[in-house]
């Protein structure tokens, strides 16, 4: 094992590992190209390796669409028919692999010798559904569903406004369950165990010791005993030779078989529903994720679906079967979510498959105490000596009881071989627009105050660095050198060739220069109050910031209030208001590649850029947003920010800024998603850059970001009963530790279309389709994307009707799992990203699209299909009890004005906004006990807060609203809406089931779908 070299801090190229140089010299065009593949060599223990890319190079960063189709991938050949699902194969970000033909090592999950070149999406196999000719006569399989799903609650999120939080979430940087592993190393103990075979040996004589035929075994859960003990009850399996009992987890193959046949079926899940007759399928409680049809012993170990879920919880065993179902196959991830409980393991040996580098997980099989079989590539691996000791039980010889094998979500402290340089310090650079426009909004005051308040809460340690740049038509730097009496401002007016006026003291140690930093934050808001400078040199300011951060990496927070007008990256207004309502949005694509290129530069230097856009005017977010998208940053948008005119937006900004400043952060991160051999990931959605086949480069990772990937079935999974997916996120914590967070998801493989449908996860499907539709809007047009969404429903329900249902009933027949599919797609069509016929501003639409791509599924669904509650009659019946708080849980209502009544009050939770509509005849009790007014006319025209009254009614609704807010990382503004309020239109616009001027009602939509399905 060669340890990669450690470049000098600052990423100087001199320290590059020899291997990388060799790889560059091996004929690649890309001399500075991605070296990750070399690092991924199975001979090198670094896998989620460091990006050792040379500074300032991005010539290898070729946009996915310029990849040439690869010949010789004949298995991809398919029908040329343009199928409706195929049009979803938007660019996302397809993986990039350098065209080195002789590349000896594939970092991908495939153990096969041929690295697969990812195809351009247009060539993708998943994009080519087979003609659904084959009718499945009475495909009545026994779909053993287990809808009762209990997983250990790791759930509750942090509250983004901490003072209201009752359950402070634990940062992942804190070891709640930290196991300091000590290898027992006692030779006398070791000698007492059965000598294990080498993997090679096991390969040749697979049946000798385990009684299975290898390698065609189904994966997972074969923690069975050696043949001598076969037949004994699982709980009493012991190795007689060992000093400690080798008690098997009761997850033998016999259990697996049982799960496939003998489970009691939940009748509800098997229902076929005629949506035209049963129009209200919306559950009154939040829709739960589909539960994989697995034996409960497996399922209870499975990954929490809030972190990791699949669109199909039953994986079709062939691509042909997947094509027939016309449903998208993909994963949705929220990998860095704040967790209340997270097992953290410190061990000198992180046990991984020698072949595919999968981390050991609950779904591997132990052939015996000394060998485990990988559930992704099926290689048999040795159990390292250290792993034989279980620090939790202090028992030797129980490798299958180690926390790594008991937890689908786990974090490892990475040993030194996971680093190519010392972990970077936390570095925070703030870049402020101080033009006249910016000063007008008054935002600078808010930011500086918030920073002052939270300076000590910035995640970090004694190495934390901070710096500030301001800009208008020139760029201003601030020297914060320790010992200075006050901050020193340096102005650079040459924006054509930006340079850093002094290399040091612009990014300073926060502890050492704290007083100067505080000084600066106190004076900054006043410094520009008289400015007449209207120009904005954002591009040059970003270039300067990039130069400043290049040596270390870190987080750049950019605050911008207008369209950039000067220097590189200057933009022109291109929104045409009279085109807003048409489906032909022509400006969804960036007008320049400046921001993308700079983002890729940033990514290469481990810099992520977060953009806060506070602008009432068109600012071309389609172009600006690229700076965050490709550098793994986030976009925040406050369209009508003004410190006096829009106090509620100021409140939102402050709350969200506080969360932003204090939330957990991971630096210089990479994420890899592996899946069982036979499956292949081909398109990624989210904010990052795909560095090699399946390695996502994330200069920063934050707990509020979601990701999605699309998959296809490349090789038949006919002999496979279970497949697994594993995401591994390697990052540097703000305390300077290298950590790896691993999530593993296990799902069954099925052979019939009916089973595929029964296991469909409608929320995950809708979320993935939304991501695909964003890509489609950008690469083709909004109307194409809308058509594609509708066709997704028509195609899958047609497939269900023609291939699953045995008798052709009239109506619109859907499997229970997809009963909300038409509703959610209709909701997507009315979502800000994809709606037509409204006056949605272009930047607002683009922002909604950014959110689709970057938000975890749970928030995306709430934004798409809000939750409606009646709240004038809240009771404690069925209320949640959290600590000493009682949180009412009113039933969720359909989104239709039919559900409203004038004598009530209704709260709509649309994710980032809460709307409380008060009916004209609302009871006096509610008006006085909750709103604190004597009659309806006294409700203020603009009301964004509920008074805290000493009444049970007030306490209930405030508890409910606080609880809703606590559960998300952004701050939803509350609007109280009277009948004649201007906000009423927004409220009604979210009534997804109702007809609007330009959109069908739910029933009309169902009729349309039915017509197409029954064609
Ligand atoms: Zn493996």
């Amino acid at each position: 094992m060669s340890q990669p070299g450690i470049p000098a801090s600052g990423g100087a190229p001199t320290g590059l590992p020899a291997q990388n140089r060799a790889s560059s010299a091996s004929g690649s065009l890309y001399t500075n190209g991605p070296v990750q593949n070399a690092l991924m060599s199975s001979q090198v223990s670094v896998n989620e390796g460091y990006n050792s890319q040379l500074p300032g190079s991005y010539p290898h960063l070729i946009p996915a669409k310029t990849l040439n189709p690869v010949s010789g991938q004949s298995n991809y050949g398919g029908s040329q028919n343009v199928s409706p699902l195929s049009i979803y194969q938007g660019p996302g970000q397809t993986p990039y692999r350098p065209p080195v033909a002789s590349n000896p090592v594939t970092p991908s999950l495939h153990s096969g010798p041929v690295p697969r070149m990812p195809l351009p999406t247009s060539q993708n196999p998943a994009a080519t559904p087979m003609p659904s000719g084959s009718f499945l006569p009475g495909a009545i399989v026994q779909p053993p569903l287990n809808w009762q799903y209990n997983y250990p609650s790791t759930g509750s999120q942090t509250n983004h406004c901490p003072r209201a939080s009752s359950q402070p979430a634990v940062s992942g940087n804190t070891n709640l369950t930290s196991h300091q592993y000590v290898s027992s190393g006692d030779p006398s103990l070791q000698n007492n165990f059965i000598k294990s075979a080498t993997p090679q040996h096991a390969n040749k004589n697979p049946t000798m010791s385990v009684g299975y035929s290898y390698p065609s075994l189904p994966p997972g859960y074969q923690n069975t005993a050696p043949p001598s003990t076969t037949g004994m009850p699982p709980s009493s399996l012991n190795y007689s030779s060992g000093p400690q009992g080798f008690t098997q987890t009761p997850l033998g193959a016999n259990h697996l078989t049982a799960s496939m046949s003998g489970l009691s079926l939940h009748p509800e899940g098997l229902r076929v529903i005629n949506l035209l007759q049963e129009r209200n399928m919306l559950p009154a409680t939040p829709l739960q994720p589909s539960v994989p049809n697995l034996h409960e012993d497996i399922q209870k170990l499975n990954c929490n679906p809030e972190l990791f879920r699949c669109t199909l919880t039953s994986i079709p065993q062939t691509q042909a079967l997947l094509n027939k179902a016309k449903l998208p196959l993909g994963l949705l991830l929220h990998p860095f979510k704040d967790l209340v409980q997270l097992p953290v393991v410190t061990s000198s040996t992180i046990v991984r498959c020698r072949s595919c580098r999968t981390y050991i997980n609950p779904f591997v099989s132990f052939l015996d105490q000394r060998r485990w079989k990988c559930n992704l590539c099926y290689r048999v691996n040795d159990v390292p000596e250290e792993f034989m000791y279980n620090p939790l039980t202090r028992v030797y010889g129980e490798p299958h009881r180690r926390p790594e094998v008991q937890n689908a979500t786990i974090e490892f402290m990475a040993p030194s071989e996971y680093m190519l340089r010392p972990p970077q310090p936390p570095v925070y650079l703030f870049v402020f627009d101080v033009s006249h426009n910016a000063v007008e909004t008054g935002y600078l005051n808010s930011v500086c105050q918030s920073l002052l308040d939270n300076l000590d809460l910035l995640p970090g340690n004694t190495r934390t660095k901070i710096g500030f740049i301001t800009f208008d038509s020139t760029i201003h730097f601030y020297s914060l050198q320790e010992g200075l009496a006050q901050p020193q401002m340096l102005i650079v007016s040459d924006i054509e060739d930006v340079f850093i006026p002094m290399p040091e003291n612009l990014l300073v140690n926060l502890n050492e220069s704290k007083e100067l930093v505080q000084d600066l934050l106190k004076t900054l808001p006043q410094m520009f109050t008289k400015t007449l400078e209207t120009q904005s040199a954002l591009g040059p300011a970003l270039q300067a910031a990039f130069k400043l951060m290049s040596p270390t990496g870190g987080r750049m927070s950019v605050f911008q209030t207008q369209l950039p007008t000067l220097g590189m990256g200057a933009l022109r207004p291109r929104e045409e208001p009279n085109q807003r309502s048409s489906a032909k949005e022509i400006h969804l694509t960036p007008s320049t590649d400046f921001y993308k290129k700079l983002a890729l530069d940033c990514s290469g230097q481990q810099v992520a850029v977060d953009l806060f856009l506070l602008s009432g005017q068109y600012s071309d977010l389609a172009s600006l947003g690229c700076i965050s998208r490709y550098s793994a940053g986030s976009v925040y948008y406050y369209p009508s920010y003004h410190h006096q005119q829009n106090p509620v937006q100021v409140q939102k900004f402050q709350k969200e800024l506080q969360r932003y400043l204090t939330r957990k952060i991971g630096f210089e991160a990479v994420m890899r998603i592996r899946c069982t051999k036979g499956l292949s990931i081909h398109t990624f959605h989210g904010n990052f850059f795909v560095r090699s086949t399946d390695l996502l480069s994330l200069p920063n990772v934050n707990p509020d970001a979601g990701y999605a990937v699309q998959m296809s079935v490349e090789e038949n999974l006919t002999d496979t009963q279970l497949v697994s997916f594993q995401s591994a996120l390697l990052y540097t914590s703000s305390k300077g530790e290298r950590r790896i967070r691993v999530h593993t998801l296990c799902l069954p493989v099925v052979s019939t279309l009916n089973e595929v449908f029964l296991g469909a996860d409608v929320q995950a499907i809708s979320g993935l389709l939304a991501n695909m539709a964003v890509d489609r809007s950008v690469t083709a047009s909004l109307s194409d994307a809308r058509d594609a969404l509708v066709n997704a429903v028509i195609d899958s329900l047609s497939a269900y009707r023609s291939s699953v249902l045995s008798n052709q009933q009239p109506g619109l027949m859907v499997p229970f799992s997809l009963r909300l599919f038409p509703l959610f797609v209709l909701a997507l069509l009315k979502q800000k990203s994809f709606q037509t016929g409204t006056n949605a501003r272009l930047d607002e639409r683009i922002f909604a699209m950014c959110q689709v791509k970057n938000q975890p599924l749970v928030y995306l669904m709430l934004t798409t299909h809000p939750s409606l509650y009646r709240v004038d009659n809240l009771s404690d019946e069925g209320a949640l009890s959290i600590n000493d708080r009682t949180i009412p849980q009113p039933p969720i209502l359909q989104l239709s004005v039919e559900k409203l009544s004038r004598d009530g009050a209704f709260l709509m939770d649309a994710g980032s906004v809460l709307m409380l509509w008060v009916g004209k005849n609302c009871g006096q009790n509610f008006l006085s006990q909750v709103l604190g007014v004597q009659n309806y006319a006294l409700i203020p025209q603009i009301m964004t807060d509920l008074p805290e009254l000493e009444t049970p009614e007030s306490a209930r609704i405030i508890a409910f609203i606080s609880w809703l807010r606590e559960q998300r990382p952004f701050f939803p503004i509350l609007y109280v809406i009277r009948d004649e309020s201007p906000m009423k239109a927004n409220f009604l616009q979210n009534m997804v089931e109702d007809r609007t001027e330009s959109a069908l009602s739910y029933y009309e939509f169902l009729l349309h779908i039915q017509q197409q399905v029954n064609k």
Side-chain angles (χ1 to χ4, degrees), residues 141-163:
V141 285
Q142 305 231 326
L145 293 175
N146 173 14
W147 297 95
Q148 304 305 315
Y149 181 43
N150 294 309
Y151 51 86
S153 167
T154 52
S156 147
Q157 293 99 339
T158 47
N159 164 19
H160 107 266
C161 32
R163 68 190 162 86

Side-chain angles (χ1 to χ4, degrees), residues 300-599:
K300 75 182 178 196
L301 290 174
N302 224 346
C303 197
N304 183 338
E306 289 174 16
L307 305 173
F308 203 170
R309 65 203 269 191
C310 187
T311 54
L312 304 177
T313 64
S314 293
I315 303 293
Q317 66 177 7
T318 63
Q319 181 68 33
L321 186 59
L322 173 61
N323 290 343
K324 247 186 212 174
K326 310 272 186 186
L327 290 169
L329 177 60
L331 301 168
L332 288 103
L333 293 90
H334 188 179
F336 205 50
K337 184 177 192 291
D338 284 325
L339 298 174
V340 169
Q341 215 178 2
L342 174 68
V344 178
V345 176
T346 305
S347 171
S348 61
T349 313
I350 295 178
V351 181
R352 303 175 65 178
C353 173
R354 282 172 62 87
S355 180
C356 73
R357 308 304 289 149
T358 291
Y359 293 80
I360 199 166
N361 61 74
F363 313 107
V364 304
S365 16
F366 280 93
L367 304 182
D368 53 46
Q369 276 183 306
R370 294 291 185 168
R371 292 174 307 152
W372 63 279
K373 190 161 77 171
C374 177
N375 49 330
L376 271 68
C377 75
Y378 310 137
R379 178 183 173 128
V380 175
N381 294 275
D382 289 334
V383 174
E385 193 57 45
E386 185 187 352
F387 204 74
M388 293 296 286
Y389 178 73
N390 186 342
L392 281 189
T393 56
R394 306 198 175 189
V395 169
Y396 191 81
E398 289 189 339
H400 58 290
R401 295 236 167 138
R402 291 264 303 200
E404 294 93 325
V405 191
Q406 292 293 321
N407 293 285
T409 289
I410 196 158
E411 188 152 286
F412 297 96
M413 303 292 287
S416 57
E417 66 255 33
Y418 288 79
M419 308 166 198
L420 291 183
R421 63 174 188 182
Q424 74 164 67
V427 178
Y428 302 110
L429 179 64
F430 295 88
V431 182
F432 296 132
D433 176 357
V434 293
S435 63
H436 177 73
N437 197 53
V439 171
E440 268 296 289
T441 67
Y443 91 91
L444 208 52
N445 218 3
S446 275
V447 181
C448 290
Q449 190 54 50
S450 194
L451 261 168
L452 278 170
D453 294 343
N454 294 292
L455 211 49
D456 293 329
L457 299 174
L458 284 177
N461 54 14
T462 52
R463 299 164 71 207
T464 305
K465 287 183 161 190
I466 196 166
F468 300 88
I469 289 177
T470 58
F471 67 96
D472 38 37
S473 63
T474 58
I475 303 166
H476 327 131
F477 298 85
Y478 298 87
S479 169
L480 300 164
Q481 185 183 8
E482 196 186 359
L484 279 180
Q486 60 185 58
Q488 222 170 35
M489 185 178 178
L490 302 109
I491 298 176
V492 171
S493 49
D494 181 1
I495 56 167
E496 295 306 321
D497 184 18
V498 179
F499 63 97
I500 307 291
M502 59 161 62
E504 265 140 45
N505 304 321
L506 297 179
L507 272 175
V508 294
N509 183 292
L510 177 57
N511 277 351
E512 290 163 8
S513 299
K514 189 175 281 176
E515 282 180 18
L516 281 174
V517 170
Q518 287 167 332
D519 269 7
L520 179 64
L521 289 171
K522 283 174 193 157
T523 49
L524 256 186
Q526 275 74 53
M527 284 168 63
F528 301 95
T529 44
K530 302 246 160 34
T531 185
L532 297 172
E533 188 53 75
T534 56
Q535 301 281 15
S536 169
L538 173 67
L542 290 173
Q543 288 176 320
F546 165 67
K547 282 187 180 173
L548 193 52
M549 296 191 85
S550 283
T552 51
R555 181 175 78 189
M556 190 195 300
S557 313
V558 180
F559 296 78
Q560 172 73 5
T561 67
Q562 59 175 314
L563 200 66
T565 53
L566 281 184
M568 295 294 287
L571 300 169
R572 286 157 180 246
R574 47 178 188 150
E575 181 182 42
E576 293 162 52
N578 52 6
Q579 279 200 352
R580 277 179 192 165
S581 59
S582 93
K584 288 184 189 167
E585 290 288 348
I586 43 172
H587 298 311
L588 298 172
T589 49
S591 60
T592 164
D593 63 357
F594 171 81
Y595 294 96
K596 177 177 180 178
K597 279 185 167 174
L598 188 56

Side-chain angles (χ1 to χ4, degrees), residues 774-837:
V774 168
D775 286 353
R776 184 70 182 160
S777 306
V778 173
T779 55
S781 71
L782 200 56
S783 57
D784 270 20
R786 291 171 53 87
D787 289 349
L789 283 170
V790 177
N791 287 339
V793 180
I794 293 170
D795 291 346
S796 60
L797 296 186
S798 300
Y800 183 73
R801 179 185 167 86
S802 63
S803 301
V804 176
L805 293 179
S806 47
N807 53 340
Q808 299 299 321
Q809 296 139 307
L812 181 58
M813 311 307 290
V814 300
F816 186 78
S817 59
L818 292 181
R819 67 199 183 283
L820 297 172
F821 193 23
L823 179 63
F824 287 167
V825 165
L826 179 65
L828 280 174
L829 295 174
K830 297 183 177 186
Q831 212 243 26
K832 207 164 247 171
S833 306
F834 309 113
Q835 65 187 195
T836 53

Side-chain angles (χ1 to χ4, degrees), residues 860-878:
L860 171 58
M861 288 312 296
L862 206 49
T863 315
T864 303
H865 187 277
S867 296
L868 181 67
Y869 309 91
R870 180 162 187 164
V871 292
D872 59 311
N873 53 1
L874 290 178
S875 77
D876 290 345
E877 199 184 318

